[in-house]
Amino acid sequence: VDGQDVVYKDIIEPLESVSVSVTSTDKTSIDDFGPPEEIATTLATKVLTPASQEVKVLAVARKVGEDGRPYVEFEFAAKAPTYIRHALAAVAVANGKFYTLTTGANELRRWGKVGPLLKDVVASFKVVDRFPAS
């Protein structure tokens, strides 16, 4: 999938997927990009969905991992002419990279069944340092 570094996509339900993208950055923390709500809105509306879709951010949270690294997790819905994709994302910065994990499913057909599982996927997302401090 163009623009993604790793993608797992259901071949029967193509809106069910999980992907990770990695982009270089000069920032050292996700906090350097602004408040969590601003990060979520910008990513959901300008990066993670086509401009033609109506996007609504449903929830945003800033969390701190066991290693002290901050993450922003958010939930959003993107409405296309024939479907609504309910999605979750987690973002973090480490190793000079901006990491984005995104997952989702068709809101009307599958979200009720797979939504809790996808929330577990996002909650498990963890970025580790390439060269941990000694």
Side-chain angles (χ1 to χ4, degrees):
V1 175
D2 288 341
Q4 302 302 316
D5 292 289
V6 179
V7 176
Y8 294 99
K9 194 172 212 175
D10 188 303
I11 59 172
I12 296 170
E13 292 286 346
L15 292 179
E16 284 182 34
S17 65
V18 60
S19 64
V20 175
S21 65
V22 182
T23 308
S24 294
T25 183
D26 59 354
K27 310 285 188 200
T28 58
S29 170
I30 195 67
D31 294 333
D32 296 339
F33 286 92
E37 293 78 13
E38 183 179 315
I39 293 168
T41 299
T42 299
L43 288 172
T45 60
K46 298 182 191 264
V47 178
L48 301 175
T49 57
S52 62
Q53 293 183 359
E54 180 184 333
V55 177
K56 183 176 182 182
V57 176
L58 305 169
V60 180
R62 180 187 182 277
K63 299 193 175 175
V64 178
E66 294 172 5
D67 61 355
R69 182 182 326 282
Y71 292 80
V72 172
E73 295 179 0
F74 57 98
E75 182 174 356
F76 63 99
K79 183 177 181 183
T82 58
Y83 63 85
I84 298 172
R85 184 167 193 261
H86 198 127
L88 302 166
V91 294
V93 171
N95 310 310
K97 306 287 184 188
F98 186 98
Y99 295 85
T100 306
L101 174 129
T102 310
T103 187
N106 184 311
E107 183 167 311
L108 301 175
R109 294 183 60 198
R110 299 282 294 161
W111 182 255
K113 183 173 185 173
V114 300
L117 300 171
L118 299 179
K119 288 180 180 185
D120 287 344
V121 169
V122 170
S124 72
F125 183 60
K126 180 180 176 184
V127 177
V128 295
D129 291 320
R130 285 184 297 202
F131 306 105
S134 304

